[in-house]
Amino acid sequence: MLHIKCPYCGMRSQNEFAYGGDASVKRPELNKEISDLEWDSFVYLRKSRRGKHLELWHHISGCRQWFKAQRDTATHEIFKTLKPSEDI
Amino acid sequence: MQRYSVFSLIKNAFNGHKGWEVAWKDPTPKSEYDVVIIGGGGHGLATVYYLAKEHNITNVAIIEKGWIGGGNVGRNTTIVRSNYMHDDNARFSEFGMNLWRNMSQELNFNVMFSPRGIINLAHSDAQMNVYSRRGNSMRLNGIDAVLLNREEVKKMIPMADFSENVRFPIFGGLMQPSAGTARHDGVVWGYARQADSMGVDIIQHCEVTGFDVVNGKIKGVKTSRGDIKTNKVGLCVAGSTSILAEKLNMTLPIETHLLQACVSEPVKPILDHVVTFGAGHFYCSQSDKGEMVMGGDLDGYNSYAQRGNLPTLQHVLTEGIAMFPFLSKLKMLRTWGGIMDMSMDGSPIIDKTHIEGLYLNCGWCYGGFKATPASGWTFAHTIAHDRVHELNAGYSLNRFHTGHLLDEKGLGTKTWIS
């Protein structure tokens, strides 16, 4: 069982959260002309690193806020959680 | 190679079993090979076997970081099936079924293939319609499929919950009678023994640390036991694919996730088939030892841990108890986890890459074990001829750019619970 510190609510059990995937993926800028390749890469390609991974979580059974977490994908140690606007 | 038979068994019984040869050797890596396959799991071993047998390419090394069969091929729930709707998946997996049927004879190793049938339960009229469509598609591709009504399912699995006021009543099911199970370790050992006898070097405890790529061509691999020169490299490393891809500066449409499985204490025979729950993600069969073999959802977040987390296991077993209430009385014997190469459309990738001589075999999601022979066969063909076979043409890497996704279930890397 993971214990995740929601930046808004504090430490809660994993059961309250839903996973949102890699937070380092950047959506191409709105209204900017981009190639199909750039768009497909954004939609489908992931680094999927072993080790430190910046990812999105949703406190779906709590405050319903999205936030970022830096977690080790091999040990599940959570180093830091932060609001979506914050950078690591 | 020593042939296994009832006569060799009797002969060796009389000399105290001292006459058995080693099943495969433990060679030191040579400095150069025609082909190097990375990953000594089921798919890698099947690939080197078919490279040698079908294409006469025997100057081959298969490199494994741990020991052969220690990854997902030793961690699955042993289900073998071809109940797919899309043509590319159906043709590929039915080709595999024919290899499974003859595998024990071909490999001279009992892989205990048991075509006991798989039943996907339906819990609504809409789901019966969907199953009817999938069953018809299967039959058009020459795969056996039978649509069962509630009474027919009740005759086969009377211990399922057929009471009146259940949340997910059983309306019927879709059965593939020729599907079943096989002994996963036997598959590893069978392929390894035959490949070794044809001259393939099986190199264990050897980690790949880098690649030698010159002008867009693969020239060799760097390993913990020295550099190896080769012009052809095949990746068969399942959940570790993204780690090796990063060493090649490639980013793939794959995420590595953890999938758990478990077995109960052994009980007397009660379940004759493989049965899946239709209102969630849970599957169950009974092993020859009597254990109930069960599995279901991913843990739900990127993971290389190779061991699972309790909330998912609880969720999966709750579904199991909804289907088979008697499971609640059983004690759990073992649980374990393996790391899956989850592709973005839920279908695998067997293809060439932009690097000449580098071939990719990954993205097996929940269904790697049953694909072992067909994956090895088509991957060997792709490597030997430097072009894809028509059976794996649909499993191309660039389908994520051309839009030809194979979204059999629309699952991808997402779990049902998230």
Side-chain angles (χ1 to χ4, degrees):
Chain A
M1 176 84 78
L2 300 180
H3 289 116
I4 303 172
K5 190 178 167 190
C6 169
Y8 305 95
C9 308
M11 199 66 91
R12 301 293 178 92
S13 90
Q14 178 192 336
N15 292 337
E16 295 187 14
F17 299 90
Y19 183 64
D22 190 338
S24 67
V25 178
K26 287 269 182 288
R27 192 184 197 283
E29 254 175 73
L30 272 180
N31 299 325
K32 191 187 148 202
E33 202 56 43
I34 55 159
S35 66
D36 286 354
L37 198 68
E38 276 175 87
W39 180 255
D40 300 336
S41 303
F42 157 68
V43 175
Y44 295 119
L45 303 189
R46 297 290 180 271
K47 291 276 181 202
S48 189
R49 290 221 164 89
R50 187 181 203 273
K52 279 187 182 173
H53 189 245
L54 191 66
E55 56 201 22
L56 291 165
W57 285 84
H58 187 195
H59 197 182
I60 196 159
S61 304
C63 64
R64 304 187 66 82
Q65 296 286 326
W66 285 89
F67 63 94
K68 291 192 247 183
Q70 191 189 40
R71 181 180 59 94
D72 191 305
T73 56
T75 64
H76 298 329
E77 182 180 357
I78 296 172
F79 303 100
K80 202 175 178 185
T81 55
L82 50 167
K83 293 175 183 174
S85 57
E86 295 171 335
D87 279 317
I88 200 110
Chain B
M1 185 185 63
Q2 192 177 30
R3 239 189 110 69
Y4 293 159
S5 69
V6 65
F7 304 108
S8 69
L9 192 64
I10 292 166
K11 193 177 132 203
N12 279 288
F14 281 107
N15 66 11
H17 291 292
K18 286 173 191 156
W20 295 110
E21 295 169 8
V22 293
W24 54 85
K25 297 177 283 294
D26 183 21
T28 309
K30 292 190 279 185
S31 62
E32 192 167 354
Y33 289 95
D34 293 342
V35 179
V36 172
I37 299 296
I38 303 170
H43 290 226
L45 289 161
T47 303
V48 294
Y49 168 74
Y50 290 113
L51 274 174
K53 178 174 169 264
E54 302 284 339
H55 307 285
N56 214 13
I57 300 172
T58 55
N59 185 22
V60 174
I62 178 165
I63 297 175
E64 166 57 46
K65 182 183 169 187
W67 60 95
I68 58 166
N72 294 342
V73 71
R75 294 164 186 260
N76 56 74
T77 47
T78 77
I79 298 165
V80 172
R81 60 187 176 83
S82 63
N83 52 357
Y84 284 95
M85 190 177 82
H86 286 332
D87 288 347
D88 287 308
N89 286 331
R91 282 194 287 260
F92 177 86
S93 52
E94 185 58 15
F95 176 80
M97 288 304 292
N98 286 323
L99 295 174
W100 277 111
R101 289 180 189 114
N102 199 34
M103 192 183 287
S104 292
Q105 286 74 23
E106 183 174 340
L107 299 182
N108 180 229
F109 202 101
N110 189 0
V111 300
M112 295 164 75
F113 177 53
S114 162
R116 58 184 69 179
I118 185 168
I119 302 169
N120 302 130
L121 293 182
H123 307 276
S124 67
D125 283 327
Q127 201 165 18
M128 284 298 281
N129 288 341
V130 170
Y131 282 177
S132 155
R133 180 174 177 234
R134 173 149 63 100
N136 283 332
S137 301
M138 286 164 62
R139 292 170 73 131
L140 285 173
N141 276 313
I143 302 165
D144 55 329
V146 185
L147 196 66
L148 307 170
N149 63 28
R150 182 177 160 95
E151 290 311 309
E152 288 166 322
V153 172
K154 199 172 180 178
K155 271 187 204 148
M156 291 184 187
I157 48 169
M159 64 294 189
D161 195 346
F162 285 95
S163 52
E164 290 300 320
N165 291 312
V166 292
R167 175 69 183 82
F168 300 109
I170 295 168
F171 276 56
L174 180 66
M175 183 176 189
Q176 186 192 359
S178 67
T181 60
R183 187 182 179 205
H184 50 196
D185 298 320
V187 177
V188 172
W189 299 332
Y191 276 127
R193 180 167 158 268
Q194 289 291 344
D196 175 88
S197 78
M198 290 187 281
V200 172
D201 279 359
I202 299 172
I203 300 160
Q204 305 182 72
H205 306 292
C206 177
E207 183 179 357
V208 170
T209 54
F211 295 88
D212 191 8
V213 180
V214 182
N215 297 330
K217 289 181 188 173
I218 200 103
K219 289 289 168 199
V221 290
K222 298 181 171 68
T223 79
S224 56
R225 294 172 68 178
D227 294 355
I228 299 171
K229 277 189 210 150
T230 182
N231 291 324
K232 288 188 174 186
V233 173
L235 295 190
C236 289
V237 292
S240 301
T241 304
S242 295
I243 298 174
L244 290 186
E246 193 168 359
K247 293 183 198 297
L248 289 153
N249 293 321
M250 288 169 74
T251 310
L252 297 173
I254 279 179
E255 272 186 1
T256 294
H257 284 257
L258 190 119
L259 183 62
Q260 297 191 65
C262 56
V263 291
S264 74
E265 60 184 322
V267 290
K268 287 191 173 174
I270 181 165
L271 182 61
D272 298 331
H273 309 92
V274 180
V275 182
T276 72
F277 185 56
H281 200 175
F282 174 81
Y283 38 90
C284 185
S285 63
Q286 188 169 20
S287 74
D288 294 339
K289 287 181 280 184
E291 304 149 332
M292 306 306 291
V293 186
M294 300 170 281
D297 270 315
L298 298 173
D299 268 19
Y301 40 87
N302 293 47
S303 176
Y304 284 89
Q306 284 193 306
R307 64 197 160 102
N309 220 332
L310 196 57
T312 305
L313 202 59
Q314 275 180 321
H315 171 83
V316 166
L317 292 173
T318 306
E319 294 174 62
I321 289 164
M323 184 167 92
F324 291 142
F326 78 93
L327 290 176
S328 69
K329 308 289 182 205
L330 299 182
K331 292 187 185 74
M332 196 62 69
L333 189 67
R334 277 194 320 278
T335 79
W336 65 93
I339 53 171
M340 308 293 118
D341 34 342
M342 300 301 296
S343 70
M344 292 294 162
D345 62 355
S347 295
I349 297 161
I350 307 176
D351 204 357
K352 297 163 64 173
T353 64
H354 72 283
I355 299 170
E356 198 181 316
L358 181 79
Y359 305 87
L360 193 60
N361 182 337
C362 63
W364 291 99
C365 299
Y366 304 89
F369 176 67
K370 59 134 203 309
T372 303
S375 165
W377 196 95
T378 53
F379 198 40
H381 186 280
T382 304
I383 293 169
H385 297 280
D386 193 38
R387 74 183 139 79
V388 296
H389 188 269
E390 61 178 14
L391 283 169
N392 61 318
Y395 296 159
S396 69
L397 177 58
N398 77 351
R399 70 178 186 269
F400 297 93
H401 292 306
T402 61
H404 296 86
L405 298 189
L406 260 177
D407 48 348
E408 182 78 29
K409 270 183 151 183
L411 272 177
T413 62
K414 280 287 186 184
T415 62
W416 287 55
I417 44 173
S418 63

